[in-house]
Amino acid sequence: MKNVFKVLLVISFFYSACVQAHVDLVSSIPMEGSALTKAPSQITLNFSGEVRLAKVMLHMDNGKMISLDFAMSMKPDDNYTIAIKDELGAGDYTVNWVAMGGDSHKISGDFSFKVKQ
């Protein structure tokens, strides 16, 4: 019986490690590939689990960086809203983000959207 308990304990550790390692971005506002008729005033990132958001950058397709009201998070969360400081004009935009999962595993990604006039 002790051996069965030990096996179950080891399996539970491996399972919890796998679950933590698979935290990722599940949705965003604006959505990936969206074409907006009104420029957004903020970016929302929703993750599948708690992360510490380390970096968020917004830039136009010509490389121009757009100012965001963002500071690295010290407290893990699964939902972040970042204000865009400048009004966005028509054009193509990309959001790049970097976060740290609960197991200190670095995750990153990007998504793009378009503002039409």
Side-chain angles (χ1 to χ4, degrees):
M1 190 64 170
K2 277 186 167 180
N3 288 337
V4 171
F5 178 73
K6 287 179 185 178
V7 169
L8 290 174
L9 186 62
V10 169
I11 289 171
S12 70
F13 282 131
F14 282 119
Y15 178 74
S16 65
C18 290
V19 169
Q20 286 182 350
H22 289 84
V23 173
D24 205 359
L25 184 70
V26 292
S27 67
S28 65
I29 301 172
M31 292 175 27
E32 163 68 39
S34 60
L36 309 172
T37 56
K38 182 180 177 193
S41 60
Q42 61 189 23
I43 297 167
T44 301
L45 305 173
N46 299 303
F47 293 89
S48 60
E50 290 188 340
V51 297
R52 290 183 320 236
L53 196 57
K55 185 187 288 187
V56 179
M57 296 181 300
L58 174 63
H59 59 88
M60 294 184 71
D61 60 345
N62 65 5
K64 178 184 175 194
M65 297 300 293
I66 308 300
S67 296
L68 300 175
D69 186 14
F70 173 75
M72 183 175 159
S73 67
M74 293 297 152
K75 181 181 174 202
D77 202 347
D78 60 354
N79 191 2
Y80 291 91
T81 299
I82 300 102
I84 300 171
K85 289 184 177 182
D86 303 325
E87 176 134 359
L88 301 181
D92 296 324
Y93 295 88
T94 300
V95 176
N96 298 93
W97 57 267
V98 177
M100 300 294 284
D103 61 352
S104 297
H105 182 79
K106 179 179 150 183
I107 56 175
S108 62
D110 59 70
F111 60 92
S112 299
F113 64 93
K114 178 182 286 198
V115 176
K116 301 189 300 186
Q117 290 291 22

